[in-house]
Amino acid sequence: SDLSVEMLQRQAQTDPAEVKKYYETHLSQFEVKESRQAAHIFVSADAASGTEARQKARAQAEEIYQQLKKAPAGFAEMAKKRSEDPGSAANGGDLGYISRGSMKDVPEFEEALYKLKPGEISVPVESRLGYHIIRLDEIKAAKIAPLAEVRAAVVEELRKQQAQKAFANLADNFSNLVYENAASLQPAATAA
């Protein structure tokens, strides 16, 4: 079979101490950013809608917000009934976990979300898409993924590095053999 980096990678052995050392010297690679579980109620009015449509949407968002202030527990119900985000409305407005930089489309949304405390509901937030009423449900603090969780990835990376090194060495040896025995290719063929 042909000699390849992949083949060498499968044969590479990794020492647990090596794995630990790699993990400890590359901790930043294993950082899981803080993320926030959010839900929203969305009233659509993009920039093309015109001033009147945007004002109407704003009034609608304001009215929903006032109702939620009185009965915050009705958020999911209200999202199902009134949110114009088809992706999240059916799930009571739930957007899952959002980390910084993942909502580049609507930076105002992210700004507002990162100012809330868990359980808090924002005033209507205007974005280029319309108005969002955001509820922060939970904060998952930033953390370094434990070695147990990323061990397989570390082992994979170390094997890849080992295999590339081994392959380079073999390739060097092979070309030296060929070079030294330019007159006869026999020794190189046996070495392979």
Side-chain angles (χ1 to χ4, degrees), residues 17-27 29-30 153-155 157-158 161:
E18 278 288 291
V19 171
K20 192 171 186 307
K21 186 176 161 218
Y22 181 91
Y23 172 75
E24 284 167 358
T25 52
H26 295 81
L27 279 180
Q29 278 182 16
F30 306 110
V154 173
V155 166
E157 180 54 34
L158 285 171
Q161 288 177 8

Side-chain angles (χ1 to χ4, degrees), residues 39-54:
H40 79 154
I41 295 170
F42 176 62
V43 182
S44 162
D46 63 19
S49 310
T51 318
E52 202 180 319
R54 275 192 84 85

Side-chain angles (χ1 to χ4, degrees), residues 37 72 75 116-122 134-138:
Q37 187 177 18
F75 191 97
L116 295 173
K117 293 181 190 69
E120 211 175 347
I121 296 172
S122 77
I134 307 163
R135 185 185 67 198
L136 171 61
D137 291 333
E138 189 193 350

Side-chain angles (χ1 to χ4, degrees), residues 112-171:
L113 175 64
Y114 274 79
K115 284 186 184 128
L116 295 173
K117 293 181 190 69
E120 211 175 347
I121 296 172
S122 77
V123 299
V125 174
E126 184 177 359
S127 80
R128 63 186 190 77
L129 305 173
Y131 296 88
H132 311 258
I133 299 159
I134 307 163
R135 185 185 67 198
L136 171 61
D137 291 333
E138 189 193 350
I139 298 176
K140 265 192 193 161
K143 68 175 174 93
I144 301 287
L147 179 55
E149 263 175 41
V150 295
R151 183 181 304 279
V154 173
V155 166
E156 192 62 23
E157 180 54 34
L158 285 171
R159 284 185 159 173
K160 198 157 77 193
Q161 288 177 8
Q162 268 184 330
Q164 281 163 345
K165 221 190 291 176
F167 190 76
N169 289 341
L170 282 169

